[in-house]
Amino acid sequence: GNSVTQMEGPVTLSEEAFLTINCTYTATGYPSLFWYVQYPGEGLQLLLKATKADDKGSNKGFEATYRKETTSFHLEKGSVQVSDSAVYFCARDPGAGSYQLTFGKGTKLSVIP
Amino acid sequence: DGGITQSPKYLFRKEGQNVTLSCEQNLNHDAMYWYRQDPGQGLRLIYYSQIVNDFQKGDIAEGYSVSREKKESFPLTVTSAQKNPTAFYLCASSPGTGNGYTFGSGTRLTVV
C-alpha cells in the first residue's frame, strides 16, 4: 500500500542553521508529493509540492526535490529562522482514482535564537 | 477569497453530550475530509466524502457521524459513544488527485 516515512522529531536548531527533514515514500505508481507546515494551534498549510520525478518544489526558502530513484522528497532550507518553528508533514498522493493523501507522522522543528 | 472555514475554534462540552463541528468550503472542491489530531501525534482520518450524499469511514470512525447534503458543507458530529473526544479536529477539502488538500484552521474540542 501507500506509505510515507519521515524522520522522527523533535529537531532543534539554532537560527541560521541548515535544515533537512527526510521523507521517503512507497513507490506505488507516480504520486504527487507534498510538504505541509502546521504552526501551533493552526491547521496545515501547503508549503510546496512536486508532481513528477526531478521536479523541485520551493517556497519561503524551503526546497524539496522529487527523487524517483531513491523514492525521497527531503525538505531543506539553507538558513532557518525562529519563525520556521512548526510541525512539518510530508504527504503523497495515492494516484489516479483516489483523492486521499497519505501523511507522514510529522516532524516538530524548534529554532532557537 | 476562497477558503475552508471551521467553526467554532474552541468548543467545550459535557461528557455524554453530542456535539457538531462545522466545516464549510467555497472552493468548489468535490472531496472533503475530517481528521483528528492528538497532542504530539499525526493525523488520523475519521471520515471522508468524494461526492455529495456519499461518504466513507476512515481509520477511526467509531463514535463519529457525518453528512454531506451540500457540496460546500461536511459537518462532523462527535457522539457520546466516542470514548476520548477531547482533541483537535481538522477539516480539509480537495479538488482531486495531484492537487493536495486545503485545510481549515481547526476546532479544539474539550469534553469535561
Side-chain angles (χ1 to χ4, degrees):
Chain A
N2 298 327
S3 69
V4 171
T5 303
Q6 61 182 105
M7 62 187 286
E8 297 270 335
V11 174
T12 302
L13 296 173
S14 296
E15 205 165 19
E16 299 184 2
F18 185 86
L19 168 71
T20 300
I21 301 178
N22 291 339
C23 173
T24 57
Y25 64 94
T26 52
T28 307
Y30 301 94
S32 294
L33 301 171
F34 307 86
W35 276 102
Y36 285 85
V37 58
Q38 184 180 31
Y39 299 103
E42 298 183 10
L44 279 70
Q45 303 173 25
L46 179 64
L47 182 59
L48 52 84
K49 75 174 189 179
T51 57
K52 61 183 188 296
D54 300 323
D55 267 1
K56 178 185 283 188
S58 62
N59 187 23
K60 299 181 181 179
F62 291 89
E63 293 183 339
T65 301
Y66 191 142
R67 303 282 188 203
K68 187 180 174 188
E69 64 276 12
T70 55
T71 63
S72 65
F73 192 54
H74 305 323
L75 182 68
E76 297 182 335
K77 187 174 185 182
S79 175
V80 293
Q81 306 300 311
V82 172
S83 57
D84 294 327
S85 298
V87 180
Y88 292 83
F89 291 90
C90 184
R92 65 157 284 167
D93 190 289
S98 174
Y99 297 174
Q100 188 177 329
L101 294 183
T102 299
F103 288 89
K105 294 185 177 181
T107 302
K108 183 175 181 179
L109 170 66
S110 297
V111 180
I112 55 177
Chain B
D1 284 340
I4 182 166
T5 302
Q6 290 188 243
S7 60
K9 190 164 181 66
Y10 300 96
L11 191 53
F12 295 88
R13 278 295 181 269
K14 291 186 177 179
E15 198 169 334
Q17 290 182 335
N18 291 356
V19 60
T20 298
L21 282 59
S22 171
C23 179
E24 303 277 333
Q25 54 102 357
N26 61 2
L27 299 164
N28 199 35
H29 287 176
D30 287 321
M32 297 186 75
Y33 310 82
W34 275 105
Y35 286 89
R36 170 179 173 142
Q37 190 176 33
D38 293 286
Q41 302 296 309
L43 304 173
R44 291 190 288 170
L45 182 64
I46 304 172
Y47 269 98
Y48 64 101
S49 167
Q50 296 191 180
I51 55 172
V52 174
N53 293 322
D54 188 43
F55 48 83
Q56 285 77 42
K57 294 181 179 180
D59 301 319
I60 57 164
E62 186 174 350
Y64 300 97
S65 66
V66 294
S67 63
R68 186 86 187 276
E69 297 176 2
K70 299 186 299 182
K71 189 174 187 178
E72 302 79 18
S73 179
F74 192 42
L76 174 74
T77 296
V78 184
T79 74
S80 56
Q82 168 50 233
K83 297 277 188 280
N84 296 296
T86 294
F88 189 53
Y89 290 88
L90 286 162
C91 181
S93 68
S94 173
T97 301
N99 293 284
Y101 293 174
T102 300
F103 281 86
S105 56
T107 293
R108 186 166 301 279
L109 172 65
T110 303
V111 174
V112 297

